[in-house]
Amino acid sequence: MTRMIAIQPLTAQAFAPFGDVLDVAGDPDKLINQGMCGRYHDRAKLDFSDGRAGISLFKAIPRDLPLKLDMVERHPDGSQAFLPLSQEPFLVVVAPDQGGVPGLPLAFRTAPGQGVNYHRGVWHGVLTPLSQPGLFAVVDRIGDGPNLQEHWFKDAILIGP
Amino acid sequence: MTRMIAIQPLTAQAFAPFGDVLDVAGDPDKLINQGMCGRYHDRAKLDFSDGRAGISLFKAIPRDLPLKLDMVERHPDGSQAFLPLSQEPFLVVVAPDQGGVPGLPLAFRTAPGQGVNYHRGVWHGVLTPLSQPGLFAVVDRIGDGPNLQEHWFKDAILIGP
């Protein structure tokens, strides 16, 4: 039986068990540059077992909905932030851990200008842009070891619009 | 006498003395996600005297050209990366150090999808979007102390289109 998951809007509250929503909702923490710029300060919990933070760029092929979700992964050694270098929404899939395997996933669609930071060890889908350019800055752990666990679902899950 | 500076396209070579250009020029370092995503790995030299890396968001008011440049600043304790959360080009102003004060600035216009990382201690202009949304992710040092030196020019410099 194919399980189906509906996509919900990304909110900080709904996403809190899995990570941080990076956006400019609310007032800035500080006004800088003679009042011309608001700083929303230190909004992601960067968390690395070892190694260090680095900035990489990801260029991914956009996917169509409904998405057939075969797999989720997690990074036991570090958090991972995705910052879209466009105003295009993208799909964010996460799942709670249930004794070392993922439970039923949740799916979120970002609003323009929202990024996410997956907390260390959180099950999540691979980067899933829904339109071009599929370009993201990624802040994650630079270090040794695979830092990757994959879980392939016995039956694919459909994530629908 | 008002000095005028022409804007040049941002290239990694021209920008090398000041920092890193973050873009997806060339081949990715690694293909991931069953070939659906290219990873351009660890492209910024993050460099902090103390403290740690953090992700903040900046929302800045766009400026018009020609820009009247009154001031440049530098951060003695850490590098600072600007990642545009849109495909809009922005203005990047840097200056060589000449005995503790900035020399003649250089001005660059980014291409869509380009970010920059200012190396620690490099003189640079404040964040200067040229159009909406003026929204950026910033990866810089989270730590104590002001970590800021400003230099106000005796005569403003015009940065022209």
Side-chain angles (χ1 to χ4, degrees), chain B residues 21-78:
Chain B
V21 173
L22 305 173
D23 64 18
V24 293
D27 291 327
D29 297 293
K30 195 177 176 183
L31 278 177
I32 59 174
N33 302 349
Q34 288 74 54
M36 297 287 278
C37 184
R39 180 174 177 125
Y40 298 75
H41 184 70
D42 195 20
R43 293 297 179 101
K45 186 186 176 194
L46 303 186
D47 176 16
F48 309 112
S49 62
D50 61 351
R52 60 173 174 81
I55 305 174
S56 300
L57 297 183
F58 280 23
K59 172 82 172 161
I61 298 171
R63 313 287 183 116
D64 293 320
L65 295 179
L67 178 81
K68 196 168 147 250
L69 182 73
D70 294 312
M71 189 267 287
V72 291
E73 62 183 33
R74 62 177 176 178
H75 308 297
D77 299 331

Side-chain angles (χ1 to χ4, degrees), chain A residues 30-88:
Chain A
K30 194 177 176 184
L31 278 176
I32 58 174
N33 302 349
Q34 287 75 55
M36 296 288 279
C37 183
R39 179 174 177 125
Y40 298 76
H41 183 71
D42 195 21
R43 293 297 178 102
K45 186 186 175 192
L46 303 187
D47 176 16
F48 309 112
S49 63
D50 62 352
R52 59 173 175 81
I55 305 173
S56 300
L57 297 184
F58 281 22
K59 172 80 174 165
I61 298 170
R63 313 286 183 117
D64 294 321
L65 295 177
L67 179 80
K68 195 168 149 252
L69 182 73
D70 295 310
M71 190 267 286
V72 291
E73 64 182 32
R74 63 177 176 178
H75 308 297
D77 298 330
S79 56
Q80 189 174 42
F82 288 88
L83 303 158
L85 301 188
S86 74
Q87 288 278 296
E88 300 299 317

Side-chain angles (χ1 to χ4, degrees), chain B residues 96-120:
Chain B
D97 184 66
Q98 294 184 343
V101 295
L104 192 64
L106 287 80
F108 301 93
R109 188 194 309 257
T110 64
Q114 284 184 325
V116 294
N117 179 53
Y118 297 122
H119 288 166
R120 179 177 164 187

Side-chain angles (χ1 to χ4, degrees), chain A residues 132-152:
Chain A
Q132 292 291 354
L135 183 63
F136 294 76
V138 175
V139 178
D140 65 1
R141 173 185 171 271
I142 308 297
D144 293 330
N147 186 24
L148 177 65
Q149 292 176 8
E150 294 183 348
H151 179 90
W152 290 79

